[in-house]
Amino acid sequence: MALFAFFQTILLLVSLSLRTCQSEVLSEPLPLTPESLEVSINSAQQCLHLQWRVHSLAYHQELKMVFQIEISRINTSNVIRVDYYSTTVKWNQVLQWSWESELPLECATHFVRIRSRVDDARVSEPRFWSNWSSWKEVNEQNSLGHKASSVFPVDKLVEEGSNVTICYISRSHQNNVSCYLDGVRMHVEQLDPNVSAFHVNNVAFVRETGTNIFCEMDPKDDAGTVLFVSKVLEAPKDFSCETQDFKTLHCTWDPGSDTSLVRKQPYQSYTLFESFSGEKRLCEHKNWCDWQIAQDSQEMYNFTLVAENYLRKRSVNILFNLTHRVRPMTPKVFFKNISATNATMTWRVHSTGNHPTLLCQIELHGEGKVIQQHNASIKVNGEYLLSELEPDTQYMARVHCGDANHFWKWSEWSGENFTTLEAAPSEAPDVWRDVKSELGNRTVTLFWKPLSKSHANGKIRFYNVIVENLDKPSELEPVPIPAPANHTKLALDQCSYRIHVTANNSVGTSPASVIVISGDPGNQVEEERVNVTADGFSLSWKPQSGDVTGYVVEWCDRPQDGSCDLQWENLGPNTTSTVISSDAFRPGVRYNFRIYGISTKRIAYLLEQKTGYSQELAPLVNPQVVMSNLTSHSFTLSWKEYPTETQRSFIRGYHVYLKPKEGQCHPGFEKAALSDNSLCCKYKIDKPEQKTFVVENLQPESIYEFFVTPFTSVGEGPLDAFTKVTTPDEHSHLLIRIILPTVFCVVLIMIVCYLNSQWMKEKCYPDIPDPYKSSVLSLIKSKENPHLTIMSVKDCIPDAIEVINKPEGSKIQFSGTRNSLTETEITKPAYLYLLPAEKNYSGPGPCICFENFTYNQAASNSGSCGHVPVPPTAPSQRGLLTSLENLLKALEKNYMNSQGEIPAGETTLNYVSQLASPMSGDKDSLPTDPPVPALCSEYKMQMAIPLGLASPPLSENSSVSSVTLLDQGDHHH
């Protein structure tokens, strides 16, 4: 023990001596200058790394020192950075310090120097800085090789929002340098003759493959690089851990933005560290990780989740009790006892060992929404009765559970679909009718709307229609109509009928819908216009007192089509207004609405009719205008009414446009500008029912143009071509009044003449007789038969003989039955007067003869036919009778020579008429006292008398009945 005390005293004395020596050393100022300074470069990080020592420290000596570091760029006088670095320095210790440059180190030469000062409390004053170390030059441009130009930094990785400096280095002196960042030209600053730089502040993420940088100089010298911009690494969000079986902890989180870049930086990594156990696990997934629970019944856990990429790290921490992070497993669901309105739901939850009490939540979904929600507490198995369900309806029921004691989270939902059974339809069909009468019969079309799903209670298979004759009761037979038909047609007479309609499914029949078709044709009401609002057609009607059980509004969704698509709406007895809307309503279409009242006997009677447009449009067509009653001062325009189906809006009137030649508007017209900016006169007709208009106060013989268009509340019809009209002369109508009757009379006369053409021909221009068919010639040839009724020439006693003396040597040529005379000169005829055969004849005075000048053109021209004076003396009858035989011979000779020439000097035969001669017989049968011919007696016969047989002219006292002078020519009878 004494020996131990001795050694302890020796050690104490040595220690005190060492401390005294040390204190003496510290009390003296020491020249502690940094030495052995070395500088290195990390181009990828753009960092300068400094290393140095302090050799002046004694062995085992420790001092707290401050180092001042200066960094210059390009030259030593251009100090760009001054930093202070404090640390405790030991003997022979290598000190390190790093600096990151915003300018790539390759872009300029850098200089570094350092000095120190003791900052230890054990060192007495004064404290002073040591000498500077020598400048250490760092010139990375020497390592560029033989490249003509380069851009730095090369493929640098930065975070979004960082500030970056880019430099362009070339071997030659730079002139007119242009740099582009992803196609955008940047402002460039020249650092020295070979280096230019530009700054990019708050750099943005463009794409995962990086942002392109390109620089060029004239003459052609370019280079480029890629700047990789990463999204900022975020700290994990919603980090939590839980267990379902006390064997595994399942941890999840939201990783945030993806910071990976193609070929530059992978997806950020995640590491899970538990501090109580000191265990660490590198997670394989980016948003979840499993941790195996130890068997030592550890309840408390402290997890740290670290996210890391090439640029930074982020971390989050949670601390929890394992029993408070329990999430039950997903239940298994079953259904039983399903009926039309009820179903029982059962489920089971997998046990976690100690059978905790679970709180379960039940949801019933129908038509995509939650319709029922219930809660239940269970241990392992659960059961719940779902009621008030709809028949033949598909539902989905689901359940999830949570720990009732230390609730953490609900389990996953577990659910199943089920369908309730069918039931009989619960409501009668909505029925309406359309009645059309024709020829004493009626066609009734029954319509019904399909029952809603809640009322059909199953699939409707058919509809039963029962028609009951109220006037003639008979056996009722239902007519099934297969679904999905929604109408049927019935042919009914004028009796009243009650119609029943029911809907049927596989379970039963719905209540009947009853409608009565009355034999009364019903009443007619006036049509009114309906108001239109943004919601649709606003209809209202007067309430009906009495036995009204409801109202029905009827309309066609597509009135412009033949199908009509009849629609109706049933309303209660206390309703007197409604708004009708439909997706089928279109602008410019007129819709008609009929409002019916329904009596207690289910008879519908018309109350009101309304019409309107959902949106009025301007007319597309103009009326077809007809002009009439054109006079010199007016004309009338008329047009027909539009069909209702073609009207795109209510017509409020018409505009009559007129373009007068003189440009002045008539009274009642006003100046107006058309859509083509032309000016004209306009007259407004405010009455849409007016379809005629008289344009008055016009000028005769003037040109006017007119055009008629309808107008509505939204505009008028399109601008069509004007129709031109020219007013007639002021007196032209008088001429028309004269000319038209005259033309009518002429036409009437022509028609009458045409109908009586044969009669006119016989009276005005009879056929010319053919000489070969003459009765005179037939007399010569039929002498042998005295009994013929044709008169013989010998029986004719001429009244006078005309002797025409022909000049010597002249000839008359006949070349046929219709040859004209070729003789140019005819001498004046000499007249030979003969007395009648009677001895004592005293006839009347002169008589007018009738001659056909067609046979004797010469005689006609000479005017030889006329009253012949009676000469005072007359030859004897014997001379006349003696010459009759010669006359007949001359006739025969003349007939035989009618086709040839007549020698000159011969006398010409003329036809001489005999008046009141006998009709038949020969010369011996002549009466002794022939009747005295009356003046202008009728023409009896024509005969040919040779002029050579004529007696000398009579004296003035001679008397003859009449003389007919005929020339020789064609002979016709």
Side-chain angles (χ1 to χ4, degrees):
M1 189 65 182
L3 182 61
F4 176 75
F6 173 76
F7 281 109
Q8 186 175 9
T9 303
I10 296 298
L11 290 174
L12 179 61
L13 292 173
V14 172
S15 175
L16 289 175
S17 64
L18 290 175
R19 289 185 179 182
T20 302
C21 180
Q22 185 177 4
S23 62
E24 291 176 356
V25 174
L26 293 176
S27 63
E28 298 178 1
L30 298 175
L32 303 177
T33 303
E35 297 176 357
S36 304
L37 176 62
E38 296 180 2
V39 180
S40 61
I41 293 177
N42 185 341
S43 296
Q45 301 294 330
Q46 293 182 197
C47 290
L48 283 176
H49 294 285
L50 280 64
Q51 291 183 354
W52 69 93
R53 287 185 175 90
V54 181
H55 296 289
S56 303
L57 283 177
Y59 183 72
H60 298 305
Q61 186 179 8
E62 293 183 2
L63 288 178
K64 187 176 182 181
M65 299 182 67
V66 177
F67 298 91
Q68 185 181 9
I69 304 170
E70 281 188 356
I71 301 175
S72 298
R73 181 175 291 162
I74 300 176
N75 53 64
T76 57
S77 61
N78 183 26
V79 178
I80 63 170
R81 182 84 177 186
V82 177
D83 271 347
Y84 294 90
Y85 173 61
S86 298
T87 186
T88 301
V89 182
K90 298 179 181 180
W91 174 78
N92 204 27
Q93 179 182 358
V94 178
L95 301 176
Q96 295 182 354
W97 180 81
S98 297
W99 171 70
E100 183 178 356
S101 174
E102 77 282 358
L103 179 70
L105 299 176
E106 295 86 352
C107 299
T109 302
H110 290 79
F111 300 91
V112 181
R113 69 178 181 174
I114 189 172
R115 67 179 178 175
S116 64
R117 187 186 69 182
V118 177
D119 192 25
D120 200 310
R122 295 172 297 174
V123 178
S124 59
E125 297 293 342
R127 298 175 182 177
F128 56 91
W129 289 102
S130 69
N131 295 328
W132 287 102
S133 65
S134 59
W135 287 101
K136 196 73 171 180
E137 181 180 352
V138 180
N139 188 357
E140 191 67 12
Q141 294 183 2
N142 296 330
S143 62
L144 296 181
H146 301 287
K147 290 184 178 180
S149 60
S150 301
V151 177
F152 294 97
V154 177
D155 297 342
K156 184 174 179 61
L157 175 64
V158 297
E159 276 189 336
E160 187 177 20
S162 302
N163 299 329
V164 181
T165 301
I166 309 295
C167 73
Y168 171 64
I169 303 173
S170 62
R171 295 294 182 183
S172 59
H173 286 193
Q174 296 183 0
N175 183 23
N176 194 18
V177 175
S178 300
C179 292
Y180 301 90
L181 176 66
D182 210 37
V184 179
R185 186 169 182 174
M186 309 301 294
H187 174 69
V188 178
E189 297 178 0
Q190 192 163 357
L191 302 181
D192 62 31
N194 299 92
V195 179
S196 297
F198 64 91
H199 302 278
V200 181
N201 296 324
N202 194 22
V203 64
F205 172 82
V206 177
R207 63 184 70 89
E208 293 182 356
T209 56
T211 303
N212 296 322
I213 298 174
F214 175 77
C215 293
E216 61 182 357
M217 181 183 66
D218 285 334
K220 187 70 174 180
D221 188 4
D222 55 15
T225 186
V226 177
L227 179 64
F228 290 92
V229 181
S230 169
K231 291 185 178 181
V232 178
L233 178 64
E234 301 177 14
K237 304 180 185 67
D238 303 327
F239 178 45
S240 66
C241 297
E242 63 187 28
T243 183
Q244 289 184 311
D245 55 3
F246 288 96
K247 294 180 181 180
T248 303
L249 274 171
H250 181 69
C251 298
T252 59
W253 62 88
D254 178 9
S257 300
D258 183 5
T259 63
S260 62
L261 296 174
V262 177
R263 303 191 311 272
K264 192 64 177 179
Q265 176 175 261
Y267 193 86
Q268 59 264 31
S269 63
Y270 292 91
T271 303
L272 195 60
F273 175 73
E274 204 283 308
S275 60
F276 294 123
S277 63
E279 295 182 5
K280 181 186 294 186
R281 179 180 176 82
L282 180 63
C283 298
E284 298 178 357
H285 304 279
K286 63 180 180 180
N287 59 352
W288 64 274
C289 190
D290 286 340
W291 185 276
Q292 297 299 319
I293 298 176
Q295 299 298 323
D296 55 2
S297 301
Q298 178 184 348
E299 289 189 0
M300 298 301 298
Y301 287 85
N302 186 8
F303 283 106
T304 300
L305 179 64
V306 179
E308 182 179 5
N309 63 8
Y310 289 168
L311 299 176
R312 67 170 68 230
K313 293 181 179 180
R314 300 278 189 169
S315 63
V316 290
N317 178 266
I318 56 171
L319 176 66
F320 59 88
N321 189 318
L322 182 61
T323 58
H324 297 172
R325 294 297 180 97
V326 178
R327 184 181 188 185
M329 290 188 174
T330 304
K332 293 183 179 180
V333 178
F334 305 94
F335 291 96
K336 62 180 181 180
N337 301 330
I338 299 176
S339 66
T341 56
N342 298 314
T344 301
M345 175 182 179
T346 63
W347 67 96
R348 178 181 177 84
V349 181
H350 186 271
S351 174
T352 57
N354 54 357
H355 302 292
T357 302
L358 299 178
L359 176 64
C360 297
Q361 189 177 61
I362 304 161
E363 285 185 353
L364 180 66
H365 290 249
E367 298 181 354
K369 60 183 179 181
V370 178
I371 57 177
Q372 292 184 19
Q373 193 171 16
H374 309 281
N375 294 325
S377 295
I378 66 167
K379 285 291 184 180
V380 177
N381 297 324
E383 181 175 301
Y384 195 86
L385 176 63
L386 300 173
S387 58
E388 299 179 359
L389 306 180
E390 298 291 337
D392 191 39
T393 304
Q394 185 178 20
Y395 294 96
M396 193 276 288
R398 64 178 188 171
V399 62
H400 62 178
C401 300
D403 193 331
N405 298 323
H406 304 286
F407 182 81
W408 161 242
K409 283 183 180 179
W410 293 106
S411 68
E412 294 290 340
W413 285 104
S414 178
E416 293 289 338
N417 295 329
F418 69 97
T419 303
T420 55
L421 302 180
E422 289 189 0
S426 59
E427 188 171 304
D430 186 359
V431 179
W432 190 237
R433 85 293 180 274
D434 179 43
V435 181
K436 293 182 179 179
S437 299
E438 184 178 358
L439 301 177
N441 295 321
R442 290 179 298 176
T443 300
V444 178
T445 305
L446 283 179
F447 297 91
W448 55 84
K449 296 179 181 179
L451 293 176
S452 65
K453 184 174 179 58
S454 59
H455 295 143
N457 294 338
K459 181 180 179 180
I460 300 299
R461 301 181 180 274
F462 62 92
Y463 296 88
N464 270 336
V465 178
I466 300 176
V467 181
E468 179 184 359
N469 192 327
L470 299 180
D471 297 335
K472 302 175 182 178
S474 59
E475 184 179 354
L476 305 180
E477 294 184 1
V479 178
I481 309 295
N486 63 350
H487 70 280
T488 186
K489 287 188 177 181
L490 303 174
L492 306 178
D493 54 21
Q494 297 299 323
C495 296
S496 296
Y497 289 87
R498 181 186 291 117
I499 302 174
H500 307 255
V501 180
T502 58
N504 299 262
N505 62 11
S506 61
V507 177
T509 302
S510 71
S513 180
V514 179
I515 189 169
V516 174
I517 308 299
S518 175
D520 186 4
N523 58 327
Q524 297 294 328
V525 297
E526 293 185 0
E527 190 175 70
E528 301 176 1
R529 294 186 181 180
V530 64
N531 296 325
V532 181
T533 64
D535 298 328
F537 292 95
S538 179
L539 304 177
S540 62
W541 55 92
K542 296 178 181 179
Q544 302 295 311
S545 60
D547 56 353
V548 175
T549 60
Y551 300 95
V552 174
V553 179
E554 171 192 281
W555 73 93
C556 287
D557 257 357
R558 294 176 178 82
Q560 70 275 19
D561 300 339
S563 61
C564 171
D565 192 9
L566 184 67
Q567 302 293 321
W568 69 94
E569 182 177 342
N570 273 303
L571 301 169
N574 298 324
T575 303
T576 57
S577 64
T578 186
V579 176
I580 303 298
S581 62
S582 173
D583 294 336
F585 289 160
R586 296 289 179 267
V589 178
R590 179 180 290 191
Y591 295 94
N592 299 314
F593 300 89
R594 301 174 190 85
I595 303 171
Y596 294 87
I598 307 299
S599 67
T600 55
K601 296 182 180 180
R602 303 302 299 168
I603 298 176
Y605 55 94
L606 183 62
L607 298 178
E608 297 183 16
Q609 286 191 119
K610 297 180 182 291
T611 184
Y613 295 85
S614 60
Q615 180 184 349
E616 293 191 64
L617 300 178
L620 286 179
V621 294
N622 295 317
Q624 298 293 328
V625 181
V626 177
M627 186 197 68
S628 60
N629 301 332
L630 177 63
T631 67
S632 58
H633 296 286
S634 67
F635 59 84
T636 301
L637 302 178
S638 59
W639 57 92
K640 295 182 180 180
E641 188 173 1
Y642 282 93
T644 303
E645 295 77 11
T646 63
Q647 294 184 19
R648 291 156 49 94
S649 55
F650 291 113
I651 295 178
R652 299 192 174 186
Y654 297 89
H655 285 157
V656 180
Y657 290 96
L658 186 68
K659 288 183 179 180
K661 182 178 180 181
E662 62 275 8
Q664 298 294 328
C665 293
H666 297 83
F669 286 82
E670 60 181 9
K671 286 279 187 181
L674 299 176
S675 59
D676 59 356
N677 297 324
S678 61
L679 296 178
C680 64
C681 301
K682 180 178 72 173
Y683 185 87
K684 184 178 182 181
I685 300 176
D686 293 325
K687 298 179 180 179
E689 64 274 6
Q690 180 179 341
K691 301 298 184 298
T692 59
F693 179 73
V694 179
V695 183
E696 299 177 322
N697 302 319
L698 306 180
Q699 296 296 326
E701 298 184 74
S702 298
I703 298 175
Y704 296 88
E705 296 181 54
F706 67 87
F707 162 61
V708 179
T709 183
F711 68 88
T712 65
S713 61
V714 293
E716 61 181 12
L719 178 62
D720 283 345
F722 279 73
T723 303
K724 289 186 178 181
V725 60
T726 302
T727 54
D729 183 26
E730 190 171 5
H731 302 291
S732 61
H733 65 283
L734 298 177
L735 295 176
I736 293 175
R737 292 181 181 179
I738 297 173
I739 292 174
L740 288 180
T742 303
V743 171
F744 176 76
C745 293
V746 171
V747 172
L748 183 62
I749 292 172
M750 292 176 64
I751 294 173
V752 172
C753 291
Y754 176 78
L755 297 177
N756 297 276
S757 59
Q758 187 64 30
W759 181 83
M760 292 290 294
K761 179 179 180 182
E762 293 175 356
K763 295 296 181 183
C764 296
Y765 48 95
D767 292 337
I768 299 174
D770 187 354
Y772 296 100
K773 299 178 181 180
S774 173
S775 61
V776 175
L777 299 180
S778 64
L779 290 175
I780 297 173
K781 295 179 180 182
S782 60
K783 288 176 58 178
E784 299 175 359
N785 189 359
H787 300 288
L788 294 176
T789 57
I790 300 176
M791 183 182 67
S792 176
V793 178
K794 298 178 181 181
D795 299 333
C796 296
I797 301 174
D799 295 326
I801 296 175
E802 176 186 4
V803 179
I804 300 175
N805 294 324
K806 301 291 182 179
E808 191 72 25
S810 64
K811 295 182 181 181
I812 300 175
Q813 179 70 34
F814 298 94
S815 60
T817 58
R818 293 191 177 272
N819 291 336
S820 61
L821 293 175
T822 60
E823 189 176 7
T824 61
E825 183 180 357
I826 302 175
T827 60
K828 182 178 180 181
Y831 293 91
L832 178 62
Y833 299 96
L834 300 178
L835 294 176
E838 292 83 348
K839 294 179 179 183
N840 298 318
Y841 173 78
S842 62
C847 179
I848 296 176
C849 66
F850 300 92
E851 181 174 1
N852 189 339
F853 291 99
T854 305
Y855 295 94
N856 191 349
Q857 184 67 30
S860 172
N861 292 335
S862 64
S864 61
C865 181
H867 293 280
V868 180
V870 180
T873 61
S876 63
Q877 288 184 346
R878 181 173 178 80
L880 177 61
L881 296 175
T882 304
S883 59
L884 285 178
E885 294 179 0
N886 296 331
L887 177 60
L888 294 175
K889 292 178 180 181
L891 289 173
E892 292 179 2
K893 183 180 179 180
N894 186 40
Y895 173 75
M896 297 302 296
N897 295 328
S898 61
Q899 299 296 323
E901 295 182 353
I902 300 176
E906 284 191 10
T907 58
T908 304
L909 297 179
N910 285 340
Y911 288 94
V912 182
S913 64
Q914 174 165 351
L915 304 179
S917 62
M919 297 298 297
S920 63
D922 55 15
K923 61 181 182 178
D924 297 332
S925 62
L926 291 173
T928 58
D929 296 322
V932 179
L935 288 177
C936 300
S937 60
E938 65 179 0
Y939 182 82
K940 292 297 183 180
M941 182 180 176
Q942 290 181 341
M943 65 174 58
I945 304 176
L947 295 179
L949 299 178
S951 299
L954 298 177
S955 64
E956 294 179 358
N957 298 326
S958 300
S959 64
V960 292
S961 300
S962 63
V963 179
T964 300
L965 302 177
L966 297 175
D967 197 1
Q968 185 175 322
D970 296 338
H971 300 270
H972 298 277
H973 183 70

